[in-house]
Coordinates of all heavy atoms in Angstrom, one line a residue:
R33 N 4.9 -23.5 15.0 CA 4.0 -22.4 15.1 C 4.2 -21.5 13.9 O 3.3 -20.8 13.4 CB 4.2 -21.7 16.4 CG 3.1 -20.7 16.7 CD 3.3 -20.0 18.0 NE 2.0 -19.3 18.4 CZ 1.9 -18.4 19.3 NH1 3.0 -18.0 20.0 NH2 0.8 -17.8 19.5
L34 N 5.5 -21.3 13.4 CA 5.8 -20.5 12.3 C 5.1 -21.0 11.1 O 4.5 -20.2 10.3 CB 7.3 -20.4 12.1 CG 7.8 -19.6 10.8 CD1 7.3 -18.2 10.9 CD2 9.3 -19.7 10.7
G35 N 5.2 -22.3 10.9 CA 4.5 -22.9 9.8 C 3.0 -22.5 9.8 O 2.3 -22.3 8.7
K36 N 2.4 -22.6 10.9 CA 0.9 -22.3 11.0 C 0.6 -20.9 10.8 O -0.4 -20.5 10.1 CB 0.4 -22.7 12.4 CG 0.4 -24.2 12.7 CD -0.2 -24.5 14.0 CE -0.3 -26.1 14.2 NZ -1.2 -26.7 13.3
V37 N 1.5 -20.0 11.3 CA 1.3 -18.5 11.0 C 1.3 -18.3 9.4 O 0.4 -17.6 8.9 CB 2.5 -17.7 11.6 CG1 2.5 -16.3 11.1 CG2 2.3 -17.7 13.1
L38 N 2.3 -18.9 8.8 CA 2.4 -18.7 7.3 C 1.2 -19.3 6.6 O 0.7 -18.7 5.7 CB 3.7 -19.2 6.8 CG 5.0 -18.7 7.4 CD1 6.2 -19.3 6.7 CD2 5.1 -17.2 7.3
E39 N 0.8 -20.5 7.0 CA -0.4 -21.1 6.3 C -1.6 -20.3 6.4 O -2.4 -20.1 5.5 CB -0.5 -22.5 6.9 CG -1.7 -23.3 6.4 CD -1.9 -24.6 7.1 OE1 -1.0 -25.1 7.7 OE2 -3.1 -25.0 7.1
L40 N -1.9 -19.8 7.7 CA -3.1 -19.1 7.9 C -3.1 -17.7 7.3 O -4.1 -17.3 6.8 CB -3.4 -19.0 9.5 CG -3.7 -20.3 10.2 CD1 -3.8 -20.1 11.7 CD2 -5.1 -20.8 9.7
V41 N -1.9 -17.1 7.3 CA -1.8 -15.7 6.6 C -2.0 -16.0 5.1 O -2.7 -15.2 4.5 CB -0.5 -15.1 7.0 CG1 -0.3 -13.9 6.0 CG2 -0.4 -14.7 8.4
N42 N -1.5 -17.1 4.6 CA -1.7 -17.3 3.2 C -3.2 -17.5 2.9 O -3.7 -17.1 1.8 CB -0.9 -18.6 2.8 CG -0.9 -18.8 1.3 OD1 -0.7 -17.9 0.5 ND2 -1.1 -20.1 0.9
R43 N -4.0 -18.1 3.7 CA -5.4 -18.4 3.5 C -6.2 -17.2 3.7 O -7.3 -17.1 3.2 CB -5.9 -19.5 4.5 CG -5.3 -20.9 4.3 CD -6.0 -21.8 5.3 NE -5.5 -23.2 5.2 CZ -5.8 -24.1 6.1 NH1 -6.6 -23.8 7.1 NH2 -5.4 -25.3 6.0
S44 N -5.7 -16.2 4.4 CA -6.5 -15.0 4.8 C -6.8 -14.1 3.6 O -7.6 -13.3 3.7 CB -5.8 -14.2 5.9 OG -4.6 -13.5 5.3
N45 N -6.0 -14.2 2.5 CA -6.1 -13.3 1.4 C -5.7 -11.9 1.7 O -6.1 -10.9 0.9 CB -7.5 -13.3 0.7 CG -7.8 -14.7 0.2 OD1 -7.0 -15.3 -0.5 ND2 -9.1 -15.2 0.4
A46 N -5.0 -11.6 2.8 CA -4.5 -10.4 3.1 C -3.4 -10.0 2.2 O -3.1 -8.8 1.9 CB -4.1 -10.3 4.6
E47 N -2.6 -10.9 1.6 CA -1.6 -10.7 0.6 C -0.5 -9.8 1.1 O -0.2 -8.8 0.4 CB -2.1 -10.3 -0.7 CG -3.2 -11.3 -1.3 CD -3.6 -10.9 -2.7 OE1 -3.5 -9.7 -3.1 OE2 -4.2 -11.8 -3.4
P48 N 0.1 -10.0 2.3 CA 1.2 -9.2 2.7 C 2.5 -9.5 2.1 O 2.7 -10.8 1.7 CB 1.3 -9.5 4.2 CG 0.8 -10.8 4.3 CD -0.2 -11.1 3.2
N49 N 3.4 -8.6 1.9 CA 4.8 -8.9 1.7 C 5.3 -9.4 3.1 O 4.8 -9.0 4.1 CB 5.6 -7.7 1.3 CG 5.2 -7.3 -0.2 OD1 4.5 -7.9 -0.9 ND2 5.5 -6.0 -0.5
L50 N 6.4 -10.2 3.1 CA 6.8 -10.9 4.3 C 8.2 -10.9 4.4 O 9.0 -11.1 3.4 CB 6.2 -12.3 4.2 CG 6.4 -13.2 5.4 CD1 5.5 -12.8 6.5 CD2 6.2 -14.6 5.0
S51 N 8.7 -10.9 5.6 CA 10.1 -11.2 6.1 C 10.1 -11.8 7.4 O 9.3 -11.5 8.3 CB 11.0 -9.9 6.0 OG 10.7 -9.1 7.1
I52 N 11.0 -12.7 7.6 CA 11.1 -13.5 8.8 C 12.6 -13.4 9.3 O 13.6 -13.6 8.6 CB 10.8 -15.0 8.6 CG1 9.4 -15.1 8.1 CG2 10.9 -15.7 10.0 CD1 9.1 -16.6 7.6
N53 N 12.8 -13.0 10.6 CA 14.1 -12.9 11.3 C 14.1 -13.8 12.5 O 13.1 -14.1 13.0 CB 14.3 -11.4 11.6 CG 14.4 -10.5 10.4 OD1 15.1 -10.8 9.5 ND2 13.7 -9.4 10.5
F54 N 15.3 -14.2 12.9 CA 15.5 -15.0 14.1 C 16.5 -14.2 15.0 O 17.5 -13.8 14.5 CB 16.0 -16.3 13.7 CG 15.2 -17.0 12.7 CD1 15.4 -16.9 11.3 CD2 14.1 -17.8 13.1 CE1 14.6 -17.5 10.3 CE2 13.3 -18.5 12.1 CZ 13.5 -18.4 10.8
K55 N 16.2 -14.1 16.2 CA 17.1 -13.3 17.1 C 17.2 -13.8 18.5 O 16.5 -14.7 18.9 CB 16.6 -11.8 17.1 CG 15.3 -11.7 17.8 CD 14.8 -10.2 17.8 CE 13.6 -10.0 18.6 NZ 13.2 -8.5 18.7
L56 N 18.1 -13.2 19.3 CA 18.2 -13.6 20.7 C 17.1 -13.0 21.5 O 16.5 -12.0 21.1 CB 19.5 -13.0 21.2 CG 20.9 -13.5 20.6 CD1 22.0 -12.7 21.2 CD2 21.0 -15.0 21.0
K57 N 16.8 -13.6 22.6 CA 15.7 -13.1 23.5 C 16.3 -12.2 24.6 O 15.7 -11.2 24.8 CB 15.1 -14.3 24.1 CG 13.9 -14.0 24.9 CD 13.2 -15.2 25.5 CE 11.8 -15.0 26.1 NZ 11.1 -16.2 26.5

């Protein structure tokens, strides 16, 4: 799902800066 998020955001041309974190629930 993360891969799909990045792929679709890349296609959107919104051009955001990006950071990804991983944490406990």
Side-chain angles (χ1 to χ4, degrees):
R33 194 178 193 195
L34 174 60
K36 289 183 180 296
V37 168
L38 300 183
E39 178 185 335
L40 289 170
V41 169
N42 189 47
R43 289 181 184 175
S44 73
N45 295 319
E47 298 185 344
N49 295 344
L50 182 78
S51 69
I52 303 170
N53 299 310
F54 306 90
K55 66 179 187 178
L56 294 174
K57 187 173 189 176

